[in-house]
Amino acid sequence: MTEFIGSVWWLIVSLGVLVTFHEFGHYWVARRCGVKVLRFSVGFGRPLWTRRGQDGTEYVVAAIPLGGYVKMLDEREGEVAATELPHAFNRQSVWKRIAIVVAGPLANLLLCVGLLWGMFVIGRPDYAPVVGQASGIAAQAGLQRGDTVLAVGERDTPTWSEVQLALIPAALDHADVPLRVRKASGAEDTRQLRLSRLPASFDERRAVDAIGLTPRHQLVPATIGRVAPQTAAWGVLAEGDRITAIDGAPVASWDDIGPLVQRLGERGGGAMVEVQRGDERLALQVAPRQTRSAQGDTYWALGVASAAVAEPATDAVLRYGPVAALPAALREANHQAGELVAMIGRAFSGRVSVQNTVAGPITIARAANAYAAHGPAWYLSMLAMLSLSLGILNLLPIPILDGGHLLYYLIELVKGSPVSESVMATGQYVGLALIAGLMGLAFYNDIVNNLVR
């Protein structure tokens, strides 16, 4: 219940901020262009709060926080007094109308930069980009435990999140990419990650796992949480023991135990299992026993299970000073804008599943709650990406979106006269159908990704 309330709250806050800035962009430029604004509404439906300003604009907060609008004086929407005709939107020059339409998405882009600046100044806690385990394509590239990923392609990666953000697009494109790494010895080297070898289809949400990379902070400590009765370890190993070596081979994480136990079992006989028990270091004789899984497979086992793992403490921070944060925010916004446009292109071309690219309110709400729980810097970074997405998606040439209106005005510039009312009406129906389809897809993805799985 707490998660549900938190998700709803952060969804309302997020959409409220984004919609307010977007509509304020339209409102501010409209007023500067001499257009009379009748209503500035955050949300749809029944008004919860209303106030009329000295400029005659009615300011409204409505019940459904899934959008908003700015209603301007317009002859196409009602009769306009002769004295107010110069202030009607439809009477403005095409360049003024373009400016008013573009102002909304532009406000979201500016908000994105501002939020990223705030995130960089506050400092986003994260994990160091250190490899914990490499397999598959990552191991073939020569990556090893302890390697620090300094850059993926041309993008510096000061934290593990930056590594992920850089690798996912390359994985989706099956594009080989160089990694600049610093070895545990301190020497720097470049490794070529052959992402073209990825399967034609893989779980796009787990692209880094498909590459074979596990970060150091995700390794499960080799601490015993339970010893099963009547097994090889029963009466020898104990809960709380941290396994440090098996038959002389060092153990750094729980994932190291399985292969070493299999090797020991196939060799036959027992071996010394070294553990840290409190302040003592012990070497205990254990011989694994062959066990049958629920699927009928046989394997060698000690009979121990890992302890519950708490979220590890962060060991890196992505931070800049107030001055350096501004160009960093501009670079990041530009980079993320390019990646978002590329992702839209992948979705339309079928290279990625729309199930993983179109998110609905449930997904956004849960993400907002999760990011907010990690602190203000993480929440600002998510809000910045949402603002950027809102700005760019609104520029798509779909009627009823800002991009659709912009398309009409560009056509008007070329042909020298406005688009006919019938064409605009048809476009509205087409736009409504497209938006309804996208909303339906978003809600379907929400149900499948959050409620069914």
Side-chain angles (χ1 to χ4, degrees):
M1 180 60 70
T2 302
E3 181 184 357
F4 173 78
I5 294 173
S7 297
V8 171
W9 166 252
W10 287 112
L11 175 67
I12 293 173
V13 171
S14 301
L15 293 181
V17 171
L18 300 182
V19 170
T20 299
F21 268 82
H22 181 92
E23 300 304 334
F24 181 77
H26 292 310
Y27 167 83
W28 190 83
V29 174
R31 291 294 307 276
R32 296 306 175 276
C33 291
V35 176
K36 183 175 181 179
V37 178
L38 302 177
R39 174 178 285 188
F40 183 126
S41 178
V42 176
F44 299 111
R46 184 173 64 86
L48 300 177
W49 176 86
T50 302
R51 176 180 176 272
R52 188 171 298 277
Q54 294 181 350
D55 56 2
T57 302
E58 184 183 31
Y59 299 93
V60 175
V61 176
I64 305 174
L66 298 179
Y69 61 93
V70 168
K71 183 178 181 181
M72 291 171 270
L73 190 67
D74 196 312
E75 290 178 278
R76 295 167 299 182
E77 297 182 7
E79 188 174 345
V80 177
T83 56
E84 292 194 317
L85 286 176
H87 304 294
F89 175 79
N90 64 293
R91 290 291 184 107
Q92 307 306 309
S93 69
V94 66
W95 288 111
K96 285 187 176 182
R97 282 177 277 144
I98 287 175
I100 293 170
V101 167
V102 171
L106 182 59
N108 282 124
L109 300 181
L110 293 175
L111 175 61
C112 171
V113 174
L115 292 169
L116 289 173
W117 178 86
M119 181 267 290
F120 283 131
V121 170
I122 294 172
R124 191 179 70 188
D126 210 321
Y127 296 99
V130 180
V131 176
Q133 186 172 321
S135 61
I137 293 173
Q140 294 167 15
L143 291 170
Q144 297 178 344
R145 174 178 291 166
D147 288 352
T148 300
V149 182
L150 302 176
V152 177
E154 299 298 320
R155 183 174 173 83
D156 291 338
T157 53
T159 67
W160 186 258
S161 294
E162 300 302 303
V163 174
Q164 289 181 299
L165 289 174
L167 284 178
I168 290 173
L172 294 177
D173 291 336
H174 289 76
D176 296 342
V177 63
L179 267 64
R180 182 162 55 88
V181 301
R182 183 172 59 238
K183 310 297 292 182
S185 63
E188 292 191 14
D189 198 1
T190 299
R191 303 294 185 185
Q192 192 73 12
L193 209 54
R194 304 289 183 182
L195 301 184
S196 55
R197 297 177 181 173
L198 280 169
S201 60
F202 60 91
D203 189 344
E204 298 156 0
R205 295 165 299 177
R206 303 178 63 86
V208 177
D209 292 341
I211 295 170
L213 272 179
T214 301
R216 181 179 62 186
H217 65 273
Q218 286 184 2
L219 293 179
V220 178
T223 302
I224 298 174
R226 178 177 178 272
V227 179
Q230 311 308 316
T231 59
W234 181 252
V236 182
L237 303 179
E239 294 180 10
D241 286 353
R242 181 169 63 85
I243 300 176
T244 58
I246 295 177
D247 198 21
V251 172
S253 72
W254 193 266
D255 292 336
D256 294 335
I257 297 175
L260 292 175
V261 170
Q262 299 313 304
R263 190 185 311 163
L264 183 59
E266 290 167 1
R267 190 194 69 187
M272 304 306 294
V273 175
E274 300 174 36
V275 301
Q276 183 76 39
R277 181 178 293 173
D279 296 329
E280 296 182 282
R281 292 183 65 88
L282 306 175
L284 307 170
Q285 182 81 10
V286 183
R289 298 177 186 174
Q290 202 166 47
T291 306
R292 186 177 299 276
S293 69
Q295 290 74 31
D297 302 323
T298 58
Y299 63 97
W300 296 93
L302 297 178
V304 294
S306 64
V309 181
E311 184 174 354
T314 56
D315 55 3
V317 178
L318 184 60
R319 178 186 285 127
Y320 294 95
V323 176
L326 181 56
L330 290 169
R331 288 194 304 270
E332 183 65 16
N334 180 66
H335 174 78
Q336 293 298 334
E339 292 298 334
L340 178 58
V341 171
M343 186 63 74
I344 293 172
R346 294 186 190 102
F348 275 104
S349 64
R351 285 181 290 159
V352 297
S353 170
V354 293
Q355 183 173 321
N356 297 324
T357 54
V358 181
I362 298 176
T363 300
I364 295 173
R366 295 185 66 180
N369 187 48
Y371 275 77
H374 282 83
W378 276 102
Y379 178 69
L380 290 180
S381 69
M382 187 219 67
L383 197 59
M385 294 307 102
L386 285 179
S387 187
L388 180 67
S389 300
L390 180 60
I392 291 178
L393 292 176
N394 256 286
L395 288 174
L396 292 177
I398 299 176
I400 84 170
L401 293 182
D402 293 331
H405 293 294
L406 183 60
L407 177 62
Y408 290 148
Y409 302 147
L410 293 177
I411 293 173
E412 182 178 341
L413 280 175
V414 173
K415 67 190 291 280
S417 61
V419 176
S420 67
E421 292 289 340
S422 59
V423 170
M424 292 185 68
T426 302
Q428 294 281 44
Y429 286 118
V430 172
L432 283 170
L434 288 172
I435 296 300
L438 286 173
M439 290 180 64
L441 177 61
F443 278 107
Y444 171 80
N445 288 345
D446 269 353
I447 294 171
V448 171
N449 294 332
N450 294 289
L451 302 180
V452 176
R453 293 183 178 178

